[in-house]
């Protein structure tokens, strides 16, 4: 593993589970000092312990130069988000990269089936308001060469259901485009990754592998697939990429051909 993040400080919201945790592991392995900002204090503490023990475990730890620590944070709350950024600056004296992973969806009625206003507002606030709050707090501190990566979804690019969640994820595409202009003048980049189905705990009581036939690459994603793309966009390897949304989706967005093939259409 190369040390693309040696000497860099990264704040990862939602870093205690799933895609966020894989991102924390990846960036730490590439040398970053990582602050895990998450609602789930116990899980955040577990990943800090895991990586701390790896760092002191011997030769393989030599590339894991960065430290890892946690801060309890609720991205729905401006004060909490501002405090997480302040804690990062206090601990490390700088902030180079923001990765906004915190978000998610839960079963509820569709819009036309009676979704209430509170449910709509909560979905949009968590998945669009949260990342926007994090960007507002972090951006003033990011140096030239700094980067922001937000985790969207294929739901923000095509119709997969979940109107509030999907509209919020679509909003991230526009947020990144607009902020790329203002941040670009300061040499700071902002991009979005849009994962397809990824095997995390959110699918624990369902069977995500039923979606495999929809994926040209013949499998659903693993958290590490998304973490690799986040690391790329956060690194200097993506130094001339800003304002884009990168699907990390096993090809599900290629179009209707996979569905047609299943229908055996001539
Ligand atoms: N798993 C998928 O199939 C999939 C697909 C596309 C996009 N995504 C997106 O990827 C991101 C991570 O999803 P995941 O599957 O790893 O989920 P997950 O539930 O495993 O992880 C989400 C993390 O965010 C934290 N979190 C939740 N609400 C928070 C809040 N208000 N403030 C701070 N932290 C909070 C949780 O504690 C958890 O650590 C989400 O934004 C999700 O929408 C997931």
């Amino acid at each position: 593993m190369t040390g693309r993040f040696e000497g860099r400080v990264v704040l990862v919201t939602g870093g205690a589970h799933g895609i966020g945790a894989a991102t924390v592991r990846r960036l730490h392995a590439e040398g970053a000092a990582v602050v895990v900002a998450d609602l789930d204090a116990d899980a955040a503490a577990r990943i800090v312990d895991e990586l701390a023990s790896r760092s002191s475990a011997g030769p393989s730890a030599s590339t894991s130069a960065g430290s890892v620590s946690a801060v309890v944070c609720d991205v729905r709350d401006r004060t909490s988000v501002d405090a997480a950024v302040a804690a990062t600056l206090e601990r490390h004296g700088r902030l180079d990269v923001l990765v906004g992973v915190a978000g998610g969806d839960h079963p509820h009625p569709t819009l036309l089936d009676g979704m209430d206003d509170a449910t709509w507002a909560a979905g949009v606030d968590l998945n669009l308001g949260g990342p926007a709050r994090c960007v507002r707090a972090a951006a003033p501190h990011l140096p030239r060469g700094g980067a922001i990566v937000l985790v969207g979804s294929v739901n923000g690019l095509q119709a997969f259901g979940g109107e509030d969640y999907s509209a919020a994820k679509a909003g991230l595409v526009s947020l990144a485009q607009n902020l790329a202009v203002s941040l670009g003048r300061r040499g700071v980049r902002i991009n979005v990754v849009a994962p397809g189905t990824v095997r995390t705990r959110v699918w624990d009581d369902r069977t995500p592998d039923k979606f495999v036939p929809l994926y040209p690459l013949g499998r659903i994603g693993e958290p590490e697939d998304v973490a690799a793309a986040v690391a790329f966009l956060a690194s200097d390897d993506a130094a001339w990429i800003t304002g884009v949304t990168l699907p990390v989706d096993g090809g599900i967005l290629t179009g209707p051909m996979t569905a047609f093939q299943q229908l055996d259409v001539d």
Side-chain angles (χ1 to χ4, degrees):
M1 193 73 72
T2 56
R4 289 185 295 185
F5 295 93
E6 299 286 347
R8 303 218 178 155
V9 177
V10 182
L11 178 63
V12 182
T13 74
H17 290 277
I19 291 169
T23 301
V24 170
R25 292 187 184 97
R26 173 77 189 228
L27 297 177
H28 176 259
E30 293 203 45
V34 185
V35 177
V36 181
D38 204 288
L39 256 187
D40 187 339
D42 291 342
R46 280 196 296 278
I47 190 162
V48 168
D49 287 349
E50 172 199 318
L51 294 178
S53 61
R54 198 178 293 175
S55 294
S56 55
S60 65
S62 58
T63 54
S64 301
S67 68
V68 183
S69 63
V71 59
V72 178
C73 173
D74 184 345
V75 299
R76 297 167 298 183
D77 174 27
R78 182 175 188 173
T79 306
S80 178
V81 168
D82 290 350
V85 170
T88 305
L89 294 168
E90 199 173 302
R91 287 172 201 176
H92 298 285
R94 59 185 293 139
L95 174 59
D96 299 281
V97 174
L98 167 70
V99 183
V101 188
D105 198 10
H106 63 91
H108 56 67
T110 67
L111 191 67
L112 300 184
D113 252 354
M115 184 196 311
D116 59 29
D117 285 357
T119 302
W120 173 273
V124 172
D125 187 50
L126 173 62
N127 291 292
L128 180 57
R133 246 170 239 123
C134 295
V135 171
R136 180 176 55 199
H141 306 286
L142 295 174
R144 186 161 283 277
I148 298 169
V149 183
L150 305 176
V151 175
S153 170
V154 292
N155 284 51
L157 298 172
Q158 277 184 16
F160 289 102
E163 296 93 347
D164 57 315
Y165 175 78
S166 300
K169 293 296 193 181
L172 293 180
V173 176
S174 172
L175 187 70
Q177 287 171 338
N178 282 282
L179 287 169
V181 176
S182 38
L183 292 172
R185 298 197 181 98
R186 298 206 278 111
V188 173
R189 300 176 300 102
I190 178 167
N191 294 292
V192 176
V193 296
T197 312
V198 179
R199 196 185 311 280
T200 67
R201 63 179 186 158
V202 305
W203 294 102
D204 276 357
D205 54 357
R206 292 175 283 173
T207 48
D209 285 307
K210 71 182 173 212
F211 299 125
V212 165
L214 297 176
Y215 284 89
L217 288 179
R219 64 174 177 88
I220 64 164
E222 301 297 333
E224 293 74 19
D225 293 316
V226 184
V230 171
F232 164 66
L233 287 172
S235 79
D236 290 345
D237 287 340
W240 209 45
I241 300 175
T242 194
V244 308
T245 296
L246 175 66
V248 183
D249 71 338
I252 198 171
L253 291 180
T254 47
M257 266 308 289
T258 44
F260 275 130
Q261 279 168 355
Q262 287 172 65
L263 292 174
D264 209 14
V265 176
D266 291 334

